[in-house]
Amino acid sequence: MRKFNTGLLAISLLASMAASAEAQETLRFGAPVARTGPLADAGIKSKQGYDMCVTAVNQKGGVDVGGKKMKLELVEYDYQSETNRAVQIVQRLINVDKVPFLLAPYGSGDTKATAGVAERYGVPMVAAAAATPSVFDQKFKNLFGILFPNAMITDAEVAYYKKTMPDVKRVSVLALNSLFPKAIAAELVTSAKREGFEILSDSLYSPDTTDFSNILTQIKSQKPDWIYATGYTQDLILIRRQMADLGVEAKLVTMTAGPSYPEFAENVKGLAESVTTNSWWHQNADYQDAFIFGSSQKYNEAFNATFKRNATYLEAAATAACQTLVMAIEEAKTTKADAVRDVLRTKTFNTFYGPIRFSDVGQNDFNAALVMQIQDGKLLVLAPDALKQADLRPGVPPKK
Amino acid sequence: MVGQYIVNGIMMGGLYACLAVGFSLVWGVLNVINMLHGSMVILGAYACLFGVQRLGLPIYVVAPLACGALFVFGYAVQRGLINRVVSQPILITLTLTFGLELIVNNLILHYFTATPRSLGINLGTVELLGMRIPVARIVGMLIAAMLTLLLYWLLRHSKVGRAIVAVRMDRHAAALMGIRIPQIYALTFGIGAFMAGAAGVAMALIYPVTPMMSGVFLGKAFVICVLGGLGSVPGAIIGGLVLGIVEGMGTLALGPQWATSVGFLLMMAVIILLPSGLAGKKGYE
C-alpha cells in the first residue's frame, strides 16, 4: 500500500511538472470575439486576422522570450455582440484562464467597455478595431489601439475632395447611432466645416432601422453635392439600393466602411460603381515587415491562400494587433506586463500594416489614411499620391 | 414630396403585414408567443437564396418550395415539440420557442455565415405622378396581400379554417365538437411558418439578408400584432400599414433614430387605450 501511495505521488508530481512545463511553453492571448449577433461578420473577420498571426508566429517557431521559444495560443470566447458579455469574458480571461495579454473586442464601444477591466487588473490590451479618440481619452496605461484616429481619415478625405472636386460644397450626412459611426460622422462634419463645406443635414438612424426611404427622400430634396453615410455594411447596402430606387443622385457618395469589404459590391453589384470610401490599410501600401510576413502584399497573398479572398483593413489590423504584442514581448524578453507595456509605449513597430507608434494616450498616431473608390468593380486607391491607382470618377450613379 | 412619403410608408407597411400575419395567427390561436418567428423568416429568405443562387432555379419555382418547406418545418416543430407543452403557462412555450430560436439562428449562422447576401434581382422602379415606387417592394407587397387574403378566405370558408377559428374561440368546446386539437395546432403553426417563409422570400427580394435580422423582424411582428389585434388577419394588415406609415412620419418629424421608438410608443398607447388592438375583438387581448 505504501509503495502504491509513493508511486501515485510520483505520478502526480510528474504530471504537475509536465503540466507546468506545458504552461511555460505556451503563451496565451485572450480575446472576446463577436462570433454571433449583429457584429458577427466583423467579429469573424477579426478572428481570421488573429489566426493569421498565430499561425505565422508558430510557423516561425513561436514567440522568442529571452531565448526561449513559446507556442502562441489564442483563447477566445464568443461575446455574442453584447457589451456586457464582452466585459464578463474579459474578466474570465484574466481570472480563470489567467491570460497575460488581451486583444480587445470589435468596435470602439465594446473596446471602451472592456478596457476598464484590463486596466483594473493591469493586463495590456491591444485593440484592432477602435478608432474613436473617446475610447482612449481615459488615458489607460494598458490600452493600445492599432487604428489611427478618425479625424486623420476625415481630414484626408475632405482635403482630397476639396482639391479634386472644388464644385462640391453641400454635404448631407447620415450615420448609425453607435459609437464609431457617430464619431466618424461628427469628425467628417468638423473637417468639412473647417474647409468651408456647407452641412445640409447631419442625421442619425437607429440600429433596428429597416427602411431608409423617408430619410433618403428628405436628403434628395436637399440636393446635396456630397452624401456621406456610415453604419453596418448591410445598412449601407440597403441605403445604396434605396438611393437608386428613389433616384437619389450626387456628385459624390461616400460610405464608411462597407465598400472596403467585398460583400458590399457583391450585394449591390453595379450600384457600387463610383462609391467612394476610406480605409486604414490596403495591401497596395507596400509596407515592409521584417518580422513575419515580409510586406503588405505578401501578407495579402498569405491571407488569400488561406481564406480565398483579399484581406481588408479589418483582418490586417487584427493581425497587426497580435503581431505588435508578440514583437513587444520579444523586445522586452519577458512576458511580464510592466516590461511589455514599456516597450509598447516607446517603440515604433514596423509591420506589414505600416509603422505602429502609440501616442501618449495609447492610440497609433502614424497617419496612413487612404481615400478609395470602386471603379469597374474594383476598389482602387485615390490618395495619397504615393499609392494612387486611379483618378476620382465623379457622379453617383456614373454619367454614361 | 408628401405623396412619396405616404407611398414609402405603405410599401413598408405591406411588408410588415406579411411579416406579422403568421406570428399573429399562432399567438391568437395557440396562445404561443412564437420567438422562433424571426428565424423562420430568415430561414425562408435563405431557402430562397439557396434555391436561386446555388441550385440555379427561377424564383417563381423556389418561392413556393421555400414556403412549403417552412410549412413542413413548422408542422413538425409544433407536432413534435410545442404540442407537448402547449397547455402549460405561456412562459413555458415562450422559453421553448426562444430556445429553438437560438438553435435555428446559430445553425443558419454556422452554415451561411454572417456576411450579408442578396438575391441580386433588380426589378427597377415605376414612376407614378412624380413618385418613385420600387417594383421589388410592389412585388413583396402583392405577395403579402395575396397570401393574407388567401389566409383570410381559408379561415372563413374552408373546413380546416373554420376548425382553426373554432379552436381560437374555445378549444374545449371545439374538442367536444370532434375537432382534433393537436392536429389543428400543428396545422396553425405550419401555416404561421408558411407565412414566415413567404415574408422571407419577400425580404430576400429587398434586403441584404443576414441571420442577425431575425431579432429585428420578430420585434416588428410583435408590435404589429399588438397594434392590429391578436389572431386577426385583417389586424395584421392594418397594424403593418399603420406601423409603416407611423415610422415614416416619425422619421420626418423627429429624425430616423426615433422611428423605432415611435412604433413602440404607439404600441404602448394601443395597449392602454385599445387592449384588443385596432382590429381585434374584445376577449382576445
Side-chain angles (χ1 to χ4, degrees), chain A residues 35-41 44-45 78 174 177 203-215 217-221 233-235 237-238 241-248 263 266-269 271, chain B residues 1 4-6 8-9 12 16 106 109 113-120 122 124-125 132-134 137 204-210 212 216-217 220 245 247-249 251-252 255-260 264:
Chain A
R35 280 179 174 274
T36 53
L39 304 174
D41 192 43
I44 289 165
K45 284 180 174 138
D78 176 18
L174 177 62
N177 192 0
S203 309
L204 293 171
Y205 68 88
S206 74
D208 287 348
T209 302
T210 49
D211 183 42
F212 294 94
S213 53
N214 276 5
I215 185 65
T217 306
Q218 217 169 29
I219 286 174
K220 185 182 180 184
S221 70
T233 304
Q234 59 265 34
D235 297 340
I237 291 167
L238 186 59
R241 280 196 194 152
Q242 291 202 291
M243 282 175 64
D245 288 342
L246 295 163
V248 182
E263 54 266 26
E266 283 165 15
N267 276 275
V268 299
K269 303 215 181 308
L271 295 176
Chain B
M1 198 59 76
Q4 181 72 60
Y5 290 130
I6 292 169
N8 294 344
M12 200 61 228
Y16 280 168
N106 279 290
L109 191 61
T113 76
T115 304
R117 287 163 200 269
S118 303
L119 270 178
N122 185 4
T125 54
R132 290 175 67 101
I133 312 170
R137 291 200 177 226
L205 271 174
I206 292 159
Y207 287 98
V209 182
T210 76
M212 275 68 65
V216 177
F217 291 155
K220 298 288 180 200
I245 293 168
E247 279 190 353
M249 292 302 137
T251 298
L252 287 180
Q257 76 269 36
W258 296 106
T260 312
F264 279 102

Side-chain angles (χ1 to χ4, degrees), chain A residues 180-195:
Chain A
F180 167 72
K182 202 170 153 181
I184 200 163
E187 293 291 0
L188 188 277
V189 168
T190 307
S191 306
K193 275 184 180 166
R194 195 171 51 233
E195 293 297 329

